[in-house]
Amino acid sequence: MDRVALVTGGTRGLGAAIAVALRDAGYRVATVHRSNVDAAQAFREKTSIPVFCWDVADFSACREGIRQVESEIGPVDILVNNAGITRDAVLHRMTPEQWSAVILTNLGSVFNMSRNAIEGMRERGFGRIVNISSVNGERGQIGQANYAAAKAGILGFTKSLALESARKNITVNAIAPGYCDTDMVAAVPKEVLDKIVAGIPVGRLGNGGDIARLVLFLADDAASFITGATFDANGGQFMA
Ligand code: NDP
């Protein structure tokens, strides 16, 4: 297959599983990460998937980075906006830095990456953009006003860009994962995590494979009638 897929935050956690699943399905895949060089190197050695390094919160870095991916691998047909961080604090203790870091990384990145990929997609008359939101963007969460705002913002962005792009055979969809077994969730204290798992009807955390199968479905050329949608993958924890 000639299609090129670019996965932000593709060197660890959900993004790594998404990148591998796309590679195994025949896509030419590139990943972007920011700072964990050891994890990126281990991922590259294990999978042979190309790894690029830039800050997706930086618009110019995204423009240059996408140019580099396109010159080395090919035009980006499938963009998975997956990179994300948490800086949790209840609002009365949240610093402006915690607010801005999460908004710029989790929501600003979706603009930065999509804006720099969309013109090529429009010219070529094909594109698949998959934005990774969160169950906590749908329902809110204590200590995550920044994260929930960014993840909810992704849903409005997804619908708007889907409308703008529909006539160009570009679909734009969101996935809202529930709690998954990654480094991000490993940072949650065990007693809190036990309570979270107890509240998940299927009785377990999600994993990369649970999310990657949805990305594969949406990335397919045949998924052209599905756009502007949000797909929940949360083990039944929240039903919108
Ligand atoms: P991880 O913390 O395991 O991995 C995050 C990835 O994003 C890493 O590759 C990291 O790079 C990269 N990244 C972070 N910031 C930047 C940046 N500024 N520029 C470029 N790359 C960056 O996260 P998860 O796999 O757990 O989460 C993936 C996505 O899924 C996130 O958007 C998250 O909000 C969302 N999500 C996760 C859930 C979960 O339970 N895990 C639940 C719901 C949503 P590096 O390694 O270099 O730091």
Side-chain angles (χ1 to χ4, degrees):
M1 187 189 315
D2 285 337
R3 298 267 183 236
V4 172
L6 177 57
V7 183
T8 69
T11 54
R12 289 195 284 127
L14 303 185
I18 292 165
V20 169
L22 286 164
R23 191 271 316 270
D24 290 349
Y27 294 89
R28 286 186 288 150
V29 179
T31 60
V32 190
H33 83 109
R34 183 179 185 193
S35 52
N36 190 332
V37 176
D38 291 345
Q41 198 174 331
F43 173 81
R44 181 168 28 209
E45 280 167 12
K46 191 172 162 201
T47 65
S48 301
I49 293 173
V51 172
F52 295 79
C53 182
W54 74 77
D55 180 1
V56 293
D58 178 333
F59 183 82
S60 307
C62 291
R63 186 178 55 216
E64 291 313 311
I66 289 177
R67 269 191 203 146
Q68 198 187 345
V69 169
E70 298 206 324
S71 74
E72 289 181 26
I73 298 177
V76 175
D77 301 303
I78 292 113
L79 171 62
V80 184
N81 285 313
N82 163 80
I85 58 169
T86 51
R87 296 287 183 271
D88 292 355
V90 286
L91 194 75
H92 56 277
R93 296 207 191 103
M94 188 178 285
T95 64
E97 290 75 22
Q98 288 172 318
W99 170 262
S100 298
V102 170
I103 296 296
L104 291 176
T105 302
N106 295 12
L107 180 60
S109 66
V110 178
F111 167 76
N112 296 338
M113 292 297 295
S114 304
R115 176 68 186 83
N116 284 302
I118 197 80
E119 287 183 60
M121 290 179 176
R122 290 176 69 87
E123 279 160 22
R124 294 186 299 277
F126 180 86
R128 299 280 180 266
I129 298 178
V130 181
N131 298 321
I132 305 299
S133 176
S134 167
V135 64
N136 289 346
E138 296 178 297
R139 62 171 194 174
Q141 181 59 278
I142 292 170
Q144 290 200 319
N146 50 1
Y147 184 85
K151 294 299 188 180
I154 285 176
L155 303 183
F157 177 97
T158 297
K159 292 171 190 171
S160 301
L161 187 58
L163 288 170
E164 291 179 11
S165 308
R167 291 298 172 100
K168 295 285 185 186
N169 192 22
I170 300 166
T171 66
V172 190
N173 291 290
I175 296 174
Y179 286 82
C180 297
D181 188 9
T182 70
D183 295 344
M184 185 178 273
V185 164
V188 177
K190 186 178 178 319
E191 59 278 14
V192 177
L193 198 55
D194 287 345
K195 278 191 195 148
I196 289 170
V197 174
I200 301 174
V202 303
R204 66 168 176 88
L205 293 173
N207 58 51
D210 292 323
I211 307 308
R213 66 177 52 248
L214 260 175
V215 175
L216 277 185
F217 176 75
L218 294 169
D220 201 283
D221 278 31
S224 59
F225 202 58
I226 303 163
T227 195
T230 300
F231 291 82
D232 293 336
N234 61 33
Q237 192 184 14
F238 175 76
M239 300 182 191

